[in-house]
């Protein structure tokens, strides 16, 4: 119990920085308060398993375990035993798991430092940084798995058999998993979609929150999280509002009453667009344009078309422009009509019926 308590205090305390020396260690390693190294959980479990195992062996010795049984038990644990032609060595398996956990912890720490410190001043774009961090994590995880399997005594000469088994599994039931995995790699390298983009796919529209190997997390405008398989982003048509830049066009339809001064309407709309700070007026995108589209049934139909600095604020800009249009039209007594219908009731004579 004392050993288990020491493990919880030393290893478990590193998660929260319980003691001052643990806080100093986290600070020296560049680990913030909310950061967690997943491999540390495995290291903690392995140490607990070892503690229970050592305690059990000590109990057996105190109980008076015969020397021959002790040697047999030691041989099973260290040298291993054969099960169906497969050599199983528990001690080597635990050691391999420990090596894997240490490697996973090192990879997690390296990813954390790469993302928070080393790449910030490297001059890479945000999307390139995310791709580099993600691929570093995958490569490091694969390397940790290989080293852990080697330490556990796994023979890589049987990789051909495993590859054959995987091909059979892919053929029968893993097509979607492999398809999403390959699609995730394509997305990470080509970057048709990146975190923070406003995209629309099918009936789902929102912001990309996270791109993993299997799926992409999209947060809709009503704050719902939608998990989209990566294969759909590759095989289906995707609209990315912010692929190359944040510019985007806004169209505001307006209808005015017949007899209104059309030149005044045009002047007011251009003035309203020019006074909005989100509307591009410096020539880096097409300047605001007013189109007289049609003589409608009840109104003269216009459209104000302008490009925005940040399409992400499209709805807010449209609302602000509509407020200004209503204020300016009231001030200049330009009316905006609504559909009207005139009904004429015609009386038909009814023949006299006998009572």
């Amino acid at each position: 119990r004392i050993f288990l308590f020491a493990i919880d205090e030393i290893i478990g305390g590193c998660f929260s920085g319980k003691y001052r020396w643990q806080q100093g260690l986290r600070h020296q390693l560049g680990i913030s308060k909310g950061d967690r190294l997943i491999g540390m959980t495995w290291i903690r479990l392995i140490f607990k398993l070892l503690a229970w195992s050592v305690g059990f062996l000590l109990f057996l010795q105190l109980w008076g375990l015969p020397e021959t049984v002790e040697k047999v038990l030691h041989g099973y644990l260290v040298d291993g035993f054969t099960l169906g032609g497969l050599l199983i060595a528990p001690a080597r398996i635990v050691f391999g798991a420990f090596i894997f956990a240490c490697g996973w912890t090192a990879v997690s720490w390296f990813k954390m430092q790469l993302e928070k410190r080393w790449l910030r001043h490297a001059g890479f774009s945000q999307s390139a940084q995310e791709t580099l961090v993600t691929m570093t994590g995958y490569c490091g995880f694969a390397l940790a798995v290989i080293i852990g399997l080697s330490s556990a005594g796994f023979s890589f000469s049987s990789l051909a058999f495993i590859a054959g088994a995987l091909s059979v599994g892919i053929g029968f039931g893993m097509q979607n998993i492999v398809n999403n995995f390959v699609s995730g790699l394509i997305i990470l390298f080509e970057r048709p979609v990146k975190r923070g983009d406003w995209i629309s796919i099918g009936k789902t529209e929102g912001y990309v929150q996270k791109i993993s190997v299997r799926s992409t997390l999209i947060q809709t405008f009503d704050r719902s999280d939608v998990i989209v398989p990566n294969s759909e982003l590759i095989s289906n048509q995707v609209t990315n509002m912010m692929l190359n830049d944040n510019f985007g066009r806004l169209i505001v339809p307006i209808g005015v009453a017949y007899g209104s001064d059309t030149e005044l309407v045009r002047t007011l709309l251009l003035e309203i667009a020019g006074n909005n700070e989100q509307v591009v007026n410096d020539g880096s995108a097409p300047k605001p344009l007013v189109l007289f589209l049609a003589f409608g049934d009840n109104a003269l139909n216009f459209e104000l078309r302008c490009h925005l600095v940040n399409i992400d604020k499209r709805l807010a800009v449209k609302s602000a422009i509509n407020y200004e249009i209503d204020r300016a039209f009231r001030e200049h007594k330009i009316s905006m009509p609504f559909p009207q219908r005139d009904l004429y009731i015609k009386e038909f004579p009814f023949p006299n019926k006998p009572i």
Side-chain angles (χ1 to χ4, degrees):
R1 286 183 174 271
I2 296 175
F3 187 58
L4 290 176
F5 178 76
I7 291 174
D8 282 333
E9 289 295 307
I10 296 174
I11 300 178
C14 290
F15 284 107
S16 56
K18 184 175 182 180
Y19 298 105
R20 182 171 298 178
W21 69 269
Q22 293 172 339
Q23 297 173 3
L25 179 61
R26 289 174 64 93
H27 179 73
Q28 291 294 329
L29 294 176
I31 303 175
S32 303
K33 186 176 181 180
D35 297 334
R36 298 192 64 179
L37 302 177
I38 303 177
M40 292 291 293
T41 304
W42 290 92
I43 295 176
R44 188 178 180 183
L45 291 176
I46 291 171
F47 270 108
K48 283 189 174 183
L49 177 62
L50 290 175
W52 280 107
S53 301
V54 171
F56 178 71
L57 292 176
L58 290 176
F59 171 76
L60 291 179
Q61 285 187 349
L62 293 176
W63 188 50
L65 186 68
E67 186 177 353
T68 56
V69 177
E70 183 179 350
K71 289 182 178 180
V72 172
L73 187 60
H74 180 273
Y76 278 139
L77 292 176
V78 178
D79 299 329
F81 56 90
T82 303
L83 181 62
L86 180 64
L87 179 62
I88 300 177
R92 295 199 64 177
I93 292 176
V94 173
F95 179 70
F98 175 74
I99 295 298
F100 165 72
C102 291
W104 195 0
T105 303
V107 170
S108 301
W109 176 83
F110 186 79
K111 276 183 58 181
M112 191 184 304
Q113 301 306 309
L114 195 66
E115 182 178 9
K116 291 185 176 181
R117 293 186 177 183
W118 301 334
L119 288 181
R120 285 192 173 182
H121 307 290
F124 294 107
S125 63
Q126 183 65 30
S127 59
Q129 293 181 23
E130 294 175 2
T131 302
L132 185 58
V133 170
T134 304
M135 296 308 301
T136 300
Y138 293 144
C139 294
F141 181 80
L143 183 61
V145 170
I146 294 174
I147 296 176
L149 290 176
S150 300
S151 303
F154 179 80
S155 177
F156 288 93
S157 60
S158 58
L159 280 179
F161 173 76
I162 296 177
L166 285 177
S167 63
V168 174
I170 291 171
F172 279 102
M174 297 177 61
Q175 302 99 325
N176 291 334
I177 296 176
V178 175
N179 188 14
N180 289 325
F181 178 78
V182 175
S183 300
L185 294 179
I186 293 174
I187 292 175
L188 289 174
F189 278 107
E190 291 189 356
R191 309 302 296 176
V193 178
K194 55 186 181 295
R195 190 174 65 179
D197 282 357
W198 172 7
I199 69 171
S200 173
I201 173 172
K203 296 182 179 180
T204 302
E205 184 175 2
Y207 297 103
V208 177
Q209 296 295 318
K210 181 181 179 182
I211 301 175
S212 60
V213 172
R214 191 194 67 84
S215 61
T216 297
L217 179 64
I218 300 175
Q219 187 177 77
T220 61
F221 298 123
D222 57 0
R223 309 293 292 182
S224 299
D225 293 330
V226 180
I227 300 174
V228 180
N230 288 331
S231 57
E232 294 190 12
L233 296 176
I234 296 297
S235 59
N236 296 332
Q237 179 175 322
V238 179
T239 302
N240 192 339
M241 311 290 185
M242 308 165 68
L243 178 60
N244 296 319
D245 52 49
N246 291 340
F247 286 174
R249 188 175 69 174
L250 173 66
I251 298 178
V252 182
I254 307 104
V256 299
Y258 276 91
S260 301
D261 187 347
T262 56
E263 285 297 327
L264 179 59
V265 171
R266 178 177 179 274
T267 302
L268 291 176
L269 293 179
L270 290 177
E271 181 180 348
I272 292 171
N275 292 334
N276 194 295
E277 60 181 10
Q278 284 294 323
V279 177
V280 178
N281 290 286
D282 58 1
S284 57
K287 292 185 177 182
L289 177 66
V290 176
L291 298 177
F292 188 171
L293 294 181
F295 295 90
D297 294 336
N298 304 286
L300 304 176
N301 296 327
F302 290 81
E303 273 188 1
L304 171 62
R305 299 188 176 190
C306 54
H307 284 74
L308 306 183
V309 176
N310 189 355
I311 191 62
D312 190 22
K313 299 181 179 180
R314 182 180 64 176
L315 296 179
V317 174
K318 186 174 183 178
S319 175
I321 288 178
N322 283 332
Y323 275 117
E324 288 299 315
I325 289 175
D326 180 70
R327 182 195 59 77
F329 281 13
R330 287 178 184 272
E331 182 179 341
H332 292 84
K333 302 187 182 305
I334 299 175
S335 61
M336 291 181 284
F338 51 87
Q340 299 182 16
R341 296 290 183 269
D342 295 331
L343 299 179
Y344 297 93
I345 300 176
K346 186 175 182 180
E347 296 183 358
F348 293 93
F350 291 95
N352 295 328
K353 295 183 179 180
I355 300 177

